[in-house]
């Protein structure tokens, strides 16, 4: 028998019973408590009893039912942090209460109803055909996201069309070797590296070290005696090579210059959209706001308050000075209390789950007494954790161990839109208006007050309001620094693994090998056993320090015929036989070399395991290469998987006042981290940075970092880095869509298991709510793809159609996920959507910088007109740059003559990019400058320069908006109506802990 009063009989609700009787009698008091859906957050609001214009809405209105403007509150008393009606009477389980002594299983029908209540967007008829503006009832942030997503999808569809000529022209070039794999050939052939040499020959100009004459390119005529080898000589070239484009032939220099102008059409289309999208978004916000009535249309936030102000005092003040006030909520410095409330909510949920498990196990005859005792112990532990939270909260509620209570800000909701607009006219923004605020408008004749439109209630982070700007800025700086450290460690890890792979690899000269060795190459084979023995024995002799060893051997009999085996070409068979017959028993100059070539060719072809016994000395190196490459891939995957939850966790410590500000920080950090991990990491790892490499000599990381050899956008860059980047940009969107599909399956499977294993209604409800639709993460992923594509598309134009396809697919996926799978996102403000729209234009800078860099690899004469326009300024800038201290002057050792940058930027094939870059930099600078000046002038002269002044929208009174179901979203700013904060205002009834439940 159990020590806890004996095994109870089975619950009055039969196991597995989900009928109507169970639902009506054992459903946690019905569908909702006080009209609130369990766990629904702020998206579902209490049902109200309407008894006239001045009716009471679940206690929200302080006006009587007669519609008069008499305030029935008590102005003189402070209701404190809590009141008796907020007692948490159901927290602890009373074993003597008959109704609660039995296990009450959760009801699936209630979970389904709860999911419908908190996710009204799941009722959309056609998820894929819904228009973004049709989603305005779910918040402006949702409308802005899908509008932005639609803009990207259709913009890149047209940009992909404009990239087709560049792709076809590059594929007609001859700069890279042909690849046997058609996919590799298509990707590498579409790059700028495949364009090939422009001229038949080139000579003169600066070499790689920029101190000596460059080596001749092509069949250049012999340099005359006037060309000293240690003096830079003017660059000159031979005849222009032709590019065959279908049936047309075009000189390459003219073609490349023409493509630079055509690419400006591509960039102009994107830049025009990027600069216009913020204005389009602002217009959309106004349209949606004009057609949508929310509590923000009646509410303002008040700051510069006295520390001891009470909501009753503010209610009376604004009711007298402005007009009829609906409600006032004062936010105080209760961050510690609210933080404890979050912890208590978790402890409370755990306690309810453990108690339910104990009851369920006690009533189940198949559960042993020992397990029932263990379940009881776990429930008691959970109760102790809950009591610990209660003790801390009770101490703060009784003003023990906390700071003195002081007001931070207040949210005032007016009854009429007219009074809401009047308050802005009376309390005009701006420093001068604040300084000369009339005395009669000052609170207590002394406090001037600042008034702004209130944010959405769900957007407020109440626990962070007491942190001022300096405190938040300090935290944001430290979190950004920590994020950089995490990325730095990832960079070091990936660099170390890649260097391990590089050290394990053995370079070889393919042309030299095939010229002097006698093995088949397509595929790599060596059928002659005698030749195999010669190569192997000579290699062993050389490794043992005896290259002159006599390896004379008797001829091996011919191998038996192997049917189905590839027959070598007759000339190769004869060649091998003749070489063996003429061998004199002494290792030749290439015998050991050819053994290495044969095995290394197998490694390059990925078939070395077929010769694992013969190429045993190279198997270890090959294995290390495979392991290192796998580890590097795993690090990147793990970093991407951990990055999102890590950044979301870290940003919470920045203490943003709004959820939108918090999401903006998550988005920007995630975007920068993914951009670094996707693109910058590849470039840095393969680039040559001599100065940085020298600084690491003698340190533990010597030989691990900055060991790349790519000094420019040479054709080999497109083989090694460009190809990997394209594959990464294929894999990244594909993996994101796979994650979407996995989230869908996880949601379905979670509901399936929760319907069988959940022990409380809250558990079951959460399983049916859906997955998070995180706007910040989605925006970060979109911007990462956008910036990587725009930055590298001058050299890798194939990225644009790939991104177009990825955006079109994502647009459909995201609409389906939002309308069928995900939870309703919080009702954010417009900060996130507008912030992303303003970032788009900066992608043009990456495009132009890389276009100059990549195209200037192909040397051409300067553009005469553009050189006259900006040449002097550009050369002057480079001269000034050269005067900077090291390593800036030499760009970390990558450039010994900064004026070479100006020469490359003014070439005929890059000058138009340079001119456009100059124009866009000026535009972005002036845009930022004008925005700053306008903000300053708006503070000084708000009547002339304020751009966000509210206009009348014809909204009904607050009471009528509720009565007519016109008010969307929350109906109050009361912190007590937010479920996540309710524990802070529940009166904790202390009782002696008897060690029982």
């Amino acid at each position: 028998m159990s020590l806890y009063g004996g095994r109870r009989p089975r619950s009055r609700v039969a196991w597995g019973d989900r009928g109507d009787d169970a639902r009506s009698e054992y459903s946690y008091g019905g569908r909702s408590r006080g009209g609130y859906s369990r766990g629904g957050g702020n998206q579902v609001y209490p049902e109200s009893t309407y008894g006239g214009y001045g009716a009471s809405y679940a206690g929200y209105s302080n006006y009587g039912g007669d519609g008069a403007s008499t305030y029935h509150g008590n102005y003189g008393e402070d209701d404190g942090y809590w009141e008796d009606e907020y007692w948490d009477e159901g927290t602890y389980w009373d074993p003597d209460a008959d109704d609660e002594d039995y296990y009450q299983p959760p009801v699936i029908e209630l979970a389904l109803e709860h999911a419908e209540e908190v996710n009204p967007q799941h009722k959309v008829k056609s998820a894929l055909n819904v228009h973004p503006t049709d989603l305005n009832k779910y918040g402006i942030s949702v409308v802005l996201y899908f509008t932005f997503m639609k803009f990207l999808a259709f913009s890149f569809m047209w940009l992909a069309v404009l990239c087709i000529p560049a792709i076809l022209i590059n594929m007609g070039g001859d700069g890279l070797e042909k690849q046997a794999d058609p996919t590799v050939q298509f990707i590498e052939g579409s790059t700028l590296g495949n364009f090939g040499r422009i001229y038949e020959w080139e000579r003169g100009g600066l070499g790689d070290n920029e101190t000596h004459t460059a080596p001749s390119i092509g069949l250049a005529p012999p340099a005359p005696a006037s060309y000293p080898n240690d003096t830079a000589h003017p660059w000159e070239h031979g005849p222009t090579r032709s590019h065959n484009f279908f049936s047309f032939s075009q000189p390459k220099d003219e073609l490349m210059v023409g493509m630079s102008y055509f690419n400006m059409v591509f960039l102009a289309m994107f830049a025009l959209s990027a600069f216009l999208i913020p204005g389009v978004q602002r217009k959309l916000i106004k349209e949606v706001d004009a057609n949508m009535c929310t509590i923000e249309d009646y509410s303002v936030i008040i700051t510069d308050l006295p520390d001891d102000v009470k909501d009753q005092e503010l209610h009376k003040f604004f009711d007298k000075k402005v007009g009829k006030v609906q409600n006032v909520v004062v936010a105080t410095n209760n961050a510690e209390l609210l933080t404890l409330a979050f912890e208590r909510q978790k402890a409370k949920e755990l306690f309810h789950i453990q108690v339910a498990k104990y009851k369920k196990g006690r009533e189940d005859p198949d559960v042993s007494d020992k397990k029932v005792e263990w379940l009881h112990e776990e429930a008691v532990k959970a109760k102790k954790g809950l009591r610990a939270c209660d003790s801390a909260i009770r101490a703060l509620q009784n003003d023990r161990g906390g700071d003195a209570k002081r007001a931070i800000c207040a949210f005032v909701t007016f009854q009429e839109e007219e009074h809401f607009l009047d308050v802005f006219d009376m309390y005009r923004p701006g420093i001068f208006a604040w300084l000369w605020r009339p005395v009669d408008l000052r609170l207590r004749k002394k406090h001037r007050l600042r008034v702004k439109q209130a944010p959405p209630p769900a957007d407020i982070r109440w626990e962070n309001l007491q942190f001022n700007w300096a405190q938040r800025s300090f935290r944001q700086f430290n979190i950004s620094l920590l994020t950089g450290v995490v990325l730095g460690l990832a960079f070091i890890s990936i660099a170390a693994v890649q260097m391990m792979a590089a050290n394990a690899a053995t370079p070889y000269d393919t042309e030299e090998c095939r010229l002097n060795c006698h093995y088949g190459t397509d595929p790599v084979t060596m059928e002659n056993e005698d030749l195999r023995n010669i190569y192997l024995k000579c290699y062993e002799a050389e490794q043992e320090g005896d290259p002159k060893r006599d390896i004379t051997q008797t001829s091996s009999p011919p191998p038996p015929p192997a049917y189905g085996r590839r027959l070598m070409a007759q000339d190769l068979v004869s060649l091998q036989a003749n070489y063996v017959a003429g061998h004199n028993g002494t290792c030749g100059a290439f015998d050991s070399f050819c053994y290495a070539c044969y095995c290394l060719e197998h490694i390059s072809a990925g078939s070395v395991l077929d010769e694992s016994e013969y190429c045993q000395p190279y198997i270890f190196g090959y294995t290390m290469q495979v392991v290192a490459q796998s580890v590097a891939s795993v690090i990147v995957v793990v970093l991407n998987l951990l990055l999102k939850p890590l950044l979301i966790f870290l940003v919470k410590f920045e203490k943003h006042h709004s959820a939108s500000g918090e999401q903006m920080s998550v988005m920007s950090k995630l975007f920068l981290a993914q951009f670094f991990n996707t693109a910058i990491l590849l470039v840095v790892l393969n680039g040559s940075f001599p100065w940085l490499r020298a600084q690491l000599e003698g340190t533990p990381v010597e030989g691990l970092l900055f060991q790349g050899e790519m000094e420019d956008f040479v054709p080999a860059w497109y083989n090694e880095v460009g190809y990997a980047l394209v594959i990464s940009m294929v894999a990244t969107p594909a993996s994101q869509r796979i994650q979407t599909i996995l989230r869908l399956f996880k949601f379905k499977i979670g509901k399936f298991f929760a319907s069988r294993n959940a022990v409380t209604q809250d558990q079951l409800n959460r399983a049916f709510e859906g997955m998070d639709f995180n706007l910040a993460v989605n925006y970060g992923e979109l911007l990462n793809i956008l910036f990587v594509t725009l930055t590298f598309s001058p050299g890798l134009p194939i990225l644009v159609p790939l991104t177009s396809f990825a955006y079109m697919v994502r647009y459909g996926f995201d609409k389906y996920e939002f309308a069928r799978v995900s939870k309703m996102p919080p009702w954010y403000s417009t900060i996130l959507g507008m912030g992303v729209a303003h970032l788009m234009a900066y992608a043009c800078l990456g495009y132009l910088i890389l276009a100059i860099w990549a195209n200037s690899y192909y040397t051409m004469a300067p553009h005469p007109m553009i050189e006259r326009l900006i040449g002097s300024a550009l050369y002057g800038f480079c001269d000034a740059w050269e005067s900077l201290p090291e390593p800036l002057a030499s760009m970390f050792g990558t450039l010994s003559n900064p004026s070479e940058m100006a020469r490359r930027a003014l070439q005929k094939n890059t000058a138009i990019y340079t001119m456009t870059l100059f124009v866009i930099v000026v535009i972005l600078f002036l845009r930022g400058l004008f925005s700053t000046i306008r903000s300053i002038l708006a503070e000084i002269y708000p009547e002339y320069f304020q751009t966000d002044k509210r206009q009348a929208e014809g909204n009904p009174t607050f009471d009528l908006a509720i009565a007519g179901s016109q008010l969307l979203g929350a109906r109050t700013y009361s912190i007590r109506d937010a479920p996540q904060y309710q524990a802070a205002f529940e009166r904790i009834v202390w009782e002696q802990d008897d060690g029982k439940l």
Side-chain angles (χ1 to χ4, degrees):
M1 294 293 291
S2 171
L3 299 175
Y4 311 106
R7 295 296 289 269
R8 299 280 180 160
R10 288 195 174 194
S11 171
R12 287 169 288 181
V13 179
W15 295 101
D17 185 8
R18 295 294 186 268
D20 292 338
D21 294 339
R23 173 181 167 182
S24 60
E25 188 174 358
Y26 302 104
S27 61
Y28 283 79
R31 172 172 158 180
S32 59
R33 293 182 176 178
Y36 283 92
S37 175
R38 295 182 62 82
N42 287 330
Q43 277 67 48
V44 182
Y45 307 101
E47 298 176 358
S48 305
T49 303
Y50 306 109
Y53 296 159
S56 174
Y57 306 99
Y60 298 152
S61 176
N62 290 312
Y63 287 88
D66 56 358
S69 60
T70 304
Y71 178 73
H72 296 287
N74 188 339
Y75 294 110
E77 294 183 6
D78 175 23
D79 56 2
Y81 282 107
W82 46 266
E83 293 183 0
D84 290 351
E85 60 265 31
Y86 288 91
W87 286 15
D88 187 11
E89 298 175 352
T91 299
Y92 300 119
W93 172 55
D94 182 3
D96 296 327
D98 292 338
D99 289 341
E100 295 197 8
D101 198 25
Y102 292 92
Y103 171 63
Q104 299 178 6
V107 182
I108 293 180
E109 288 79 0
L110 292 181
L112 292 172
E113 292 182 6
H114 169 78
E116 291 180 359
E117 290 176 358
V118 300
N119 293 316
Q121 79 277 16
H122 289 183
K123 298 178 183 178
V124 173
K125 291 183 179 180
S126 178
L128 296 179
N129 294 327
V130 65
H131 192 272
T133 53
D134 296 334
L135 303 173
N136 58 3
K137 64 181 72 174
Y138 311 122
I140 185 62
S141 58
V142 174
V143 177
L144 292 179
Y145 172 75
F146 282 104
T147 301
F148 180 75
M149 183 76 258
K150 182 179 180 180
F151 160 78
L152 287 181
F154 285 94
S155 294
F156 269 84
M157 181 178 68
W158 293 110
L159 293 176
V161 174
L162 292 176
C163 275
I164 292 177
I167 295 173
L168 294 177
I169 289 174
N170 290 338
M171 292 184 70
D174 56 0
L176 298 175
E177 291 185 4
K178 302 297 183 182
Q179 301 293 328
D181 189 321
T183 303
V184 177
Q185 173 59 33
F186 175 75
I187 293 175
E188 294 185 356
S190 66
T191 67
L192 185 61
N194 194 47
F195 189 80
R197 298 201 322 268
I198 297 178
Y199 304 107
E200 293 291 346
W201 57 264
E202 300 175 46
R203 67 180 181 184
L206 294 176
D208 293 336
N209 59 10
E210 301 184 2
T211 59
H212 298 285
T213 301
S216 299
I217 299 175
L219 300 176
S226 60
Y227 276 39
N229 204 23
D230 58 350
T231 303
H233 193 87
W235 171 81
E236 58 183 2
H237 62 84
T240 303
R241 302 178 70 208
S242 296
H243 188 95
N244 297 319
F245 185 66
F246 292 103
S247 59
F248 300 96
S249 180
Q250 182 77 16
K252 279 195 170 185
D253 55 352
E254 296 179 6
L255 184 62
M256 178 166 274
V257 173
M259 282 306 303
S260 68
Y261 286 95
F262 184 81
N263 288 340
M264 284 299 96
V265 178
F266 169 92
L267 183 65
M269 180 177 176
F270 175 81
L272 182 64
S273 302
F275 280 105
L276 290 180
I277 188 64
V280 174
Q281 296 278 54
R282 279 191 292 268
K283 182 179 179 181
L284 180 63
I285 291 169
K286 290 182 179 180
E287 292 177 356
V288 171
D289 188 54
N291 297 318
M292 184 172 61
C293 184
T294 64
I295 192 173
E296 303 99 84
D297 295 325
Y298 302 88
S299 305
V300 295
I301 179 172
I302 312 294
T303 54
D304 288 351
L305 295 167
D307 290 346
D308 59 345
V309 71
K310 303 296 186 291
D311 53 357
Q312 298 92 338
E313 180 183 1
L314 287 174
H315 196 294
K316 184 177 181 179
F317 177 80
F318 282 102
D319 194 75
K320 179 180 178 180
K321 298 293 183 182
V322 182
K324 201 171 181 180
V325 175
Q326 169 69 20
N327 193 27
V328 176
V329 175
V330 176
T332 56
N333 58 327
N334 51 9
E336 188 176 4
L337 182 63
L338 296 178
T339 302
L340 286 172
F342 293 146
E343 297 300 322
R344 186 184 190 275
Q345 188 68 21
K346 297 177 184 177
K348 181 179 177 180
E349 293 175 0
L350 177 61
F351 173 69
H352 286 165
I353 291 173
Q354 295 298 343
V355 169
K357 287 182 178 179
Y358 164 65
K359 291 181 181 181
K360 181 179 179 180
R362 184 187 61 183
E363 297 171 14
D364 188 353
D366 295 331
V367 178
S368 65
D369 289 346
K370 185 175 181 180
K371 185 171 182 180
V372 171
E373 294 175 10
W374 178 79
L375 291 173
H376 183 273
E377 292 174 358
E378 292 299 311
V380 171
K381 289 180 182 178
K383 180 181 178 181
K384 290 180 179 179
L386 179 60
R387 286 177 61 84
C389 292
D390 288 344
S391 177
I393 292 176
R394 188 166 179 264
L396 288 176
Q397 288 177 344
N398 294 332
D399 292 330
R400 296 199 306 268
D403 297 332
K405 180 182 175 183
R406 59 183 177 84
I408 304 297
C409 62
F411 299 91
V412 180
T413 304
F414 293 92
Q415 275 277 345
E416 299 181 8
E417 183 186 37
E418 178 186 358
H419 298 149
F420 165 72
L421 296 175
D422 288 344
V423 74
F424 292 111
D425 293 331
M426 298 172 65
Y427 291 88
R428 293 184 299 113
I431 185 65
F432 290 152
W434 180 80
L435 287 173
W436 283 285
R437 190 85 73 204
V439 176
D440 63 320
L441 293 181
R442 302 180 187 181
L443 185 65
R444 302 177 185 175
K445 306 296 183 181
K446 144 173 106 167
H447 297 279
R448 293 179 173 85
L449 307 183
R450 290 183 183 270
V451 177
K452 294 182 179 179
Q453 184 176 2
D459 198 38
I460 302 171
R461 290 285 189 255
W462 295 88
E463 68 275 17
N464 298 338
L465 293 179
Q466 71 183 63
F467 294 92
N468 59 36
W469 178 85
Q471 292 171 320
R472 287 181 283 118
S473 298
F474 178 74
R475 287 170 171 267
Q476 290 168 20
F477 172 78
N478 286 316
I479 296 300
S480 300
L481 192 63
L482 182 59
T483 303
V485 170
V486 172
L487 293 177
L489 292 176
F491 168 71
I492 293 174
S493 302
I494 296 174
V497 172
Q498 289 198 350
M499 188 52 56
M500 182 175 67
N503 292 337
T506 303
Y508 69 100
D509 189 333
T510 306
E511 293 184 3
E512 191 73 13
C513 284
R514 295 181 180 182
L515 180 65
N516 296 283
C517 302
H518 306 89
Y519 53 81
T521 58
D522 188 20
V524 181
T525 55
M526 190 161 50
E527 303 280 347
N528 192 300
E529 290 295 329
D530 293 328
L531 181 63
R532 292 167 64 91
N533 290 333
I534 290 173
Y535 285 169
L536 176 59
K537 290 182 178 296
C538 288
Y539 173 80
E540 292 174 346
E542 183 176 287
Q543 294 298 309
E544 295 172 4
D546 186 14
K548 302 297 184 179
R549 179 185 302 172
D550 184 9
I551 60 166
T552 303
Q553 55 185 0
T554 57
S555 299
S556 302
Y563 299 101
R565 193 173 180 180
R566 186 189 74 91
L567 296 177
M568 293 189 299
Q570 187 62 37
D571 56 347
L572 183 60
V573 173
S574 302
L575 185 65
Q576 293 181 352
N578 292 336
Y579 183 81
V580 171
H583 201 273
N584 59 6
T586 302
C587 292
F590 293 100
D591 289 339
S592 174
F593 171 76
C594 289
Y595 170 82
C597 288
Y598 177 70
C599 293
L600 291 172
E601 288 250 25
H602 266 297
I603 290 177
S604 297
S607 56
V608 70
L609 295 181
D610 295 339
E611 290 278 13
S612 58
E613 184 176 352
Y614 183 72
C615 293
Q616 184 64 37
Y618 287 89
I619 290 296
F620 174 77
Y622 172 74
T623 304
M624 290 301 297
Q625 281 185 272
V626 173
V627 170
Q629 292 169 357
S630 301
V631 171
S633 301
V634 168
I635 292 175
V636 173
V637 171
V638 171
L639 178 62
N640 286 331
L641 290 176
L642 296 181
L643 209 54
K644 287 186 282 189
L646 177 63
L647 290 177
I648 292 172
F649 171 76
L650 291 177
V651 166
K652 293 184 182 299
F653 291 95
E654 295 182 348
K655 302 299 181 183
H656 293 272
H657 284 184
S658 66
S660 296
E662 187 176 285
Q663 293 295 299
M664 186 67 184
S665 180
V666 170
M667 182 278 298
S668 58
K669 288 181 173 60
L670 182 62
F671 155 58
L672 293 174
Q674 289 184 335
F675 182 71
F676 172 85
N677 192 37
T678 304
I680 305 301
L681 192 63
L682 277 173
V683 175
V684 173
L685 285 175
N686 291 276
S688 176
F689 300 92
W691 186 88
L692 292 174
R693 186 186 306 172
Q695 300 304 308
L696 297 179
E697 292 180 0
T699 67
V701 294
E702 180 183 1
L704 296 180
L705 302 180
F706 308 113
Q707 301 298 307
E709 299 296 335
M710 297 293 179
E711 298 181 353
D712 206 339
F713 277 90
V714 297
W717 186 92
Y718 298 92
N719 290 116
E720 299 182 17
V721 184
Y723 177 79
L725 189 59
V726 172
I727 296 301
S728 174
M729 289 302 293
V730 172
T732 298
S735 64
Q736 292 169 356
R737 301 292 65 77
I738 291 174
Q739 290 177 24
T740 302
I741 296 173
L742 291 177
R743 284 198 298 270
L744 173 60
F745 280 106
K746 182 181 179 182
F747 174 52
K748 299 293 185 182
I749 294 173
K751 290 200 300 182
F752 174 80
F753 283 103
S755 62
R756 287 158 175 75
N757 301 325
V759 293
T760 67
Q761 191 67 40
D762 282 338
Q763 260 190 312
L764 191 61
N765 286 352
R766 283 195 297 272
F768 277 67
E769 284 177 357
M771 312 299 290
D772 289 329
F773 192 78
N774 196 315
L775 293 177
V777 171
N778 291 351
Y779 272 128
E781 292 173 348
L782 291 176
L783 283 180
N784 173 52
I785 295 175
L786 171 68
F787 273 72
V788 172
T789 299
L790 260 293
T791 300
F792 291 95
S793 59
L796 306 169
I798 192 64
L799 289 176
V800 179
L802 291 174
T803 298
S804 173
F805 178 76
Y807 278 155
M808 293 294 291
V809 172
R810 177 160 193 153
Y811 184 48
F813 264 81
D814 280 2
K815 286 200 294 185
Y816 181 84
E817 184 179 4
F818 175 78
R820 293 291 180 267
V821 179
S822 298
K823 288 190 291 189
M824 175 75 74
W827 198 291
Y828 296 130
S829 68
T830 61
I831 294 175
L832 185 59
M834 290 303 300
V836 171
H838 281 286
L839 284 175
M840 279 192 60
Y842 292 93
C844 299
L845 300 180
Y847 178 91
L848 291 168
I849 291 173
L850 193 126
I852 296 170
W853 189 2
N855 282 272
S856 65
Y857 169 75
Y858 300 98
T859 306
M860 295 182 69
H863 193 292
M865 185 181 71
I866 295 180
E867 186 179 33
R868 286 195 301 268
L869 287 175
I870 62 174
S872 299
L874 195 55
Y875 275 106
F877 172 80
C878 291
D879 291 339
W881 186 278
E882 191 173 5
S883 65
L884 293 175
E886 288 291 345
L888 296 178
S890 64
M891 297 289 290
F892 299 97
T894 60
L895 196 63
S896 60
N897 184 10
S899 63
E900 178 68 4
M901 292 191 298
R903 187 200 63 77
R904 293 180 63 163
L906 294 173
Q907 292 181 179
K908 287 183 178 180
N909 56 339
T910 60
I912 187 63
Y913 297 124
T914 305
M915 191 69 187
T916 307
L917 177 63
F918 177 79
V919 172
I920 289 184
V921 167
V922 170
I923 292 175
L924 291 174
F925 174 78
L926 292 178
R927 187 177 74 168
L929 179 63
F930 288 156
S931 177
T932 303
I933 293 175
R934 188 179 61 187
S935 299
I936 296 173
L937 292 176
E939 283 291 318
I940 302 175
Y941 305 108
E943 62 272 17
Y944 301 110
F945 296 97
Q946 187 180 358
T947 58
D948 56 350
K949 186 176 181 179
R950 292 284 306 189
Q951 303 294 330
E953 299 175 353
N955 292 322
T957 63
F958 192 80
D959 294 339
L960 285 177
I962 295 179
S965 299
Q966 294 175 266
L967 192 71
L968 299 176
R971 301 178 181 181
T972 177
Y973 278 90
S974 175
I975 187 175
R976 292 174 175 174
D977 293 317
Q980 66 269 34
Y981 298 116
Q982 286 181 356
F985 306 101
E986 296 170 342
R987 185 171 183 177
I988 306 300
V989 181
W990 192 254
E991 59 185 27
Q992 186 67 32
D993 187 7
D994 55 5
K996 300 180 181 179
L997 296 181

